[in-house]
Every structure is written in C-alpha cells, then in structure tokens.
C-alpha cells in the first residue's frame, strides 16, 4: 500500500509540473512546433537520467524513492522519459536490436493507434 501512495504522490506532483511546464512554455513561446511537449519530454529525460544515476549511486534503486521519483514523478511528468530510459537499459545490456524495435515500434504503432482511435470515433 505504501508503494501505491509513493507512486500516486509522485505522479500527482509530476502531472502538476507537466501542466506548469506547458502553461509557461505556451505563454512565452508561440510556435507551430509543439514546444511544450518537446520541452517536457527533454526535461523529463534529463531528470530521469539524473535521478536514476543518483538512486544507483546511493543504493536506493529498489526503495521508496524510486517509486516516488521515477515511477511517480517522472511517470506523471512524461512517460517519454521512461521510454528513453528503457531504451538506454536495453542498449546497456547489449540488446540494441530490441532497443531499435522498441523505439520504432512504439513510435509507429503509437501514431497509428492514435489515428485508428480517432478514425473509429469519427
């Protein structure tokens, strides 16, 4: 039950930060390019890299901070950061082909799935 609370708290905070990032980027930067999502994804990837390295360095990779910060906060902020981390982990474990398949499959099937869902509703 504690794990669920850590994930929920981190997720709530991450979602609030995602909203705030989008709010401020859209307020100050006007572009046809989706800058808010782009910045959110890049910031999330940077944060998950820092946090995972810090957790590993401090032997806290399997503790409550991982649930709060990685699964909760980063997951609430952006799932793209988890996607990027998982690709790095695949490459670090010499599974480069799986990393390529995961990346291409996620992007292509993700876009196709959004299109299909929208088409079905129309």
């Amino acid at each position: 039950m504690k794990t669920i609370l850590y994930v929920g708290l981190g997720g709530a905070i991450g979602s609030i930060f995602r909203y705030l990032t989008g709010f401020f980027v859209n307020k100050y930067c006007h572009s046809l390019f989706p800058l808010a999502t782009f910045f959110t994804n890049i910031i999330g990837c940077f944060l998950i890299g820092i946090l995972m390295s810090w957790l590993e360095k401090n032997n806290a990779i399997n503790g409550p901070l991982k649930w709060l910060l990685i699964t909760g906060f980063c997951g609430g902020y952006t799932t793209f950061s988890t996607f990027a981390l998982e690709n790095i982990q695949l490459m670090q474990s010499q599974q480069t082909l799986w990393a390529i398949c995961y990346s291409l499959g996620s992007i292509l099937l993700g876009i196709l799935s959004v299109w299909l869902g929208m088409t079905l509703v129309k």
Side-chain angles (χ1 to χ4, degrees):
M1 190 63 171
K2 279 185 180 180
T3 301
I4 292 170
L5 292 174
Y6 286 122
V7 172
L9 176 62
I13 295 168
S15 294
I16 291 167
F17 272 79
R18 180 185 179 103
Y19 167 77
L20 291 172
T21 301
F23 176 82
F24 285 110
V25 169
N26 289 328
K27 182 176 180 177
Y28 296 108
C29 301
H30 302 285
S31 173
L32 293 176
F33 186 80
L35 283 174
T37 302
F38 181 77
F39 284 145
T40 298
N41 288 335
I42 300 307
I43 292 167
C45 289
F46 182 68
L47 285 174
I48 207 169
I50 289 172
L51 293 169
M52 279 296 290
S53 292
W54 184 82
L55 289 171
E56 288 173 351
K57 182 179 175 182
N58 291 286
N59 295 318
I61 197 68
N62 293 317
L65 281 178
K66 179 184 179 191
W67 300 117
L68 178 73
L69 298 173
I70 303 299
T71 306
F73 181 82
C74 289
Y77 190 66
T78 172
T79 58
F80 187 80
S81 58
T82 303
F83 169 74
L85 175 65
E86 290 170 343
N87 273 289
I88 292 293
Q89 290 172 333
L90 283 169
M91 289 185 272
Q92 286 175 337
S93 65
Q94 310 303 315
Q95 301 297 321
T96 306
L97 181 59
W98 281 116
I100 292 168
C101 290
Y102 181 41
S103 293
L104 292 176
S106 295
I107 293 167
L108 296 174
L109 290 174
I111 292 168
L112 179 64
S113 295
V114 170
W115 174 82
L116 182 60
M118 293 173 76
T119 302
L120 288 172
V121 172
K122 289 180 184 178

